């Protein structure tokens, strides 16, 4: 059984970890917070018990290991994306033997500044994030400049997805932002309609 190490155990990291555990993968996580709050405890408590914490992100490193980097981005005072925490997480994996999959949100212009094998943007909604990881509506794969084979769980997610897109990391990042713009437009339209009828 191939191992998956989740780097960053916040909302997105936990959703991915629990989904992969549910699908039968051996899952570990590494987070700077020694005891991160469990965001999906009520519905997924027994799967949390299967996900093991690591003191060292490379403790389970081998060729078959997959690293899923789920570290959040930040916005600086100028309103620009700050990917310093994502960069730091990826630098920890510079000497990793396994495959590095970037699952964090990164603007297209920043992707060239960081090293990874595959970019897998997430389209998760907080309330049903674990379920959306198990059965993604949109599954987008951006293959970087890598010779490493796709992780086995890509095939699982692709088979369960309603729609699949394969392209470059930059194309994958643009799809994320087009999706976000479309969602924002729908929310704005709904709010305007609400204002009109109230």
């Amino acid at each position: 059984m191939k191992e998956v190490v989740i780097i960053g155990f916040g909302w997105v990291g936990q959703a991915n970890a629990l989904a992969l555990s549910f699908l039968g993968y051996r899952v570990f996580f590494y987070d700077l917070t020694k005891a991160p709050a469990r965001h999906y405890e009520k519905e997924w408590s027994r799967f949390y018990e299967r996900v093991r914490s690591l003191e060292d992100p490379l403790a389970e490193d081998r060729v078959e290991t997959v690293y899923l980097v789920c570290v959040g981005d930040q916005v600086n005072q100028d309103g620009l994306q700050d990917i310093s925490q994502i960069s730091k997480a990826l630098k920890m994996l510079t000497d990793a033997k396994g495959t590095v999959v970037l699952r964090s949100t990164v603007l297209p212009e920043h992707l060239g500044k960081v090293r990874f094998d595959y970019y897998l943007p997430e389209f998760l909604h907080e309330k049903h994030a674990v379920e959306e990881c198990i059965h993604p509506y949109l599954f987008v794969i951006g293959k970087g400049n890598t010779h490493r084979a796709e992780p086995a769980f890509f095939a699982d997610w692709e088979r369960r997805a309603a729609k699949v897109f394969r392209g470059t990391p930059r194309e994958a990042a643009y799809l994320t932002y087009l999706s976000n713009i479309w969602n924002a437009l729908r929310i704005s339209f709904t709010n305007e309609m609400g204002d009109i009828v109230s």
Side-chain angles (χ1 to χ4, degrees):
M1 175 57 65
K2 291 187 179 180
E3 283 122 2
V4 180
V5 177
I6 308 290
I7 306 294
F9 207 57
W11 290 96
V12 173
Q14 288 178 37
N16 282 273
L18 297 169
L20 289 166
S21 179
F22 174 83
L23 293 172
Y25 290 86
R26 190 167 175 231
V27 183
F28 301 87
F29 79 87
Y30 174 81
D31 195 281
L32 293 176
T33 305
K34 295 305 173 195
R38 293 182 172 189
H39 299 297
Y40 309 100
E41 176 72 34
K42 186 176 176 184
E43 301 87 355
W44 296 91
S45 58
R46 71 186 179 103
F47 289 96
Y48 273 105
E49 304 314 315
R50 298 181 187 180
V51 180
R52 302 281 176 237
S53 174
L54 297 177
E55 294 292 320
D56 175 358
L58 298 177
E60 293 292 323
D61 188 40
R62 48 186 65 82
V63 173
E64 300 81 19
T65 304
V66 178
Y67 295 93
L68 201 59
V69 178
C70 301
V71 175
D73 65 333
Q74 297 175 346
V75 177
N76 66 23
Q77 291 179 341
D78 298 325
L80 302 174
Q81 185 181 42
D82 175 4
I83 63 163
S84 58
Q85 294 303 313
I86 297 169
S87 296
K88 192 181 296 184
L90 289 167
K91 282 179 185 167
M92 289 189 307
L93 304 175
T94 300
D95 297 323
K97 297 173 190 165
T99 302
V100 177
V101 178
L102 178 59
R103 189 77 159 145
S104 304
T105 301
V106 177
L107 285 168
E109 60 263 29
H110 293 315
L111 286 170
K113 301 173 186 173
V114 290
R115 182 232 163 242
F116 55 88
D117 297 303
Y118 294 91
Y119 180 45
L120 211 66
E122 50 89 6
F123 300 86
L124 304 177
H125 302 88
E126 193 174 290
K127 189 172 181 182
H128 300 291
V130 180
E131 294 85 352
E132 289 173 344
C133 276
I134 295 169
H135 295 284
Y137 175 73
L138 179 58
F139 182 54
V140 176
I141 302 170
K143 182 178 181 183
N145 185 17
T146 183
H147 63 280
R148 294 179 177 174
E150 288 186 1
F153 63 83
F154 279 23
D156 287 337
W157 281 349
E158 187 170 6
R159 190 170 50 254
R160 294 165 173 269
K163 296 181 180 181
V164 177
F165 174 83
R166 290 174 170 277
T168 66
R170 194 172 179 84
E171 290 168 338
Y174 277 120
L175 269 180
T176 304
Y177 285 95
L178 284 172
S179 174
N180 289 343
I181 290 167
W182 173 242
N183 287 332
L185 180 63
R186 290 190 309 175
I187 291 166
S188 296
F189 178 78
T190 303
N191 289 341
E192 287 297 321
M193 289 302 293
D195 290 344
I196 290 169
V197 298
S198 60

